[in-house]
Amino acid sequence: MNSNVSPIYRKYRPATVRKLFIVANATLWGWFALKFFLTPERHLLQVAVGALALIGIVAALAVFRSDLSFIAHAPEGQIDEFLLNQRNRAYLHTMRYVSGMLALSMICGVFGFPQHADVTAGVLRNFIFVLFITTLISPAGFLALSTEELPEE
């Protein structure tokens, strides 16, 4: 990787980015799903759902600030041919992820949501928020999933 990396990016091991990516996805989508079960009398669940959102956003920010995120979003002139090919593969996986999530949402729209779930503008806004955040971190996450750990020298 080029040494002109902005100081805003942090050097994390691929395994660390991989774990953060999985945590961010699991907690953000968990937050979205659990919001369907919130009621005013379930205070503990409200706190847990809020904590999931906070954990997911913090993990997503850490992935977004990783050096793999620099590779995922760098201009072509700042990375070599090998990293460019890896980045293109990560973008292909990201496109498949987004297409799959949109297809799943369309299938849910056609066949219906669970009985008690009302799809309101707020639900749609939450879905778009989670999809947006996870799409931003997906290229770096997919790079981390495909990157092998290099032994320490």
Side-chain angles (χ1 to χ4, degrees), residues 37-142:
F37 302 103
L38 287 181
T39 58
E41 58 273 354
R42 291 181 153 174
H43 300 293
L44 188 58
L45 185 60
Q46 288 179 347
V47 171
V49 169
L52 278 179
L54 184 61
I55 291 167
I57 290 170
V58 169
L61 284 171
V63 171
F64 198 69
R65 292 190 59 196
S66 70
D67 55 343
L68 288 175
S69 184
F70 171 79
I71 294 170
H73 302 292
E76 288 184 17
Q78 291 189 344
I79 56 176
D80 62 21
E81 191 70 29
F82 175 74
L83 292 177
L84 185 63
N85 287 335
Q86 281 193 316
R87 180 183 74 180
N88 290 343
R89 190 174 309 119
Y91 271 109
L92 178 63
H93 289 302
T94 300
M95 187 187 76
R96 288 177 181 161
Y97 162 73
V98 172
S99 299
M101 293 310 293
L102 290 174
L104 181 64
S105 68
M106 290 175 69
I107 290 169
C108 288
V110 169
F111 292 110
F113 285 90
Q115 304 290 347
H116 59 27
D118 292 326
V119 181
T120 62
V123 170
L124 184 60
R125 191 172 30 253
N126 290 340
F127 176 79
I128 291 171
F129 172 75
V130 172
L131 186 60
F132 177 72
I133 296 296
T134 56
T135 300
L136 283 177
I137 65 169
S138 287
F142 288 127

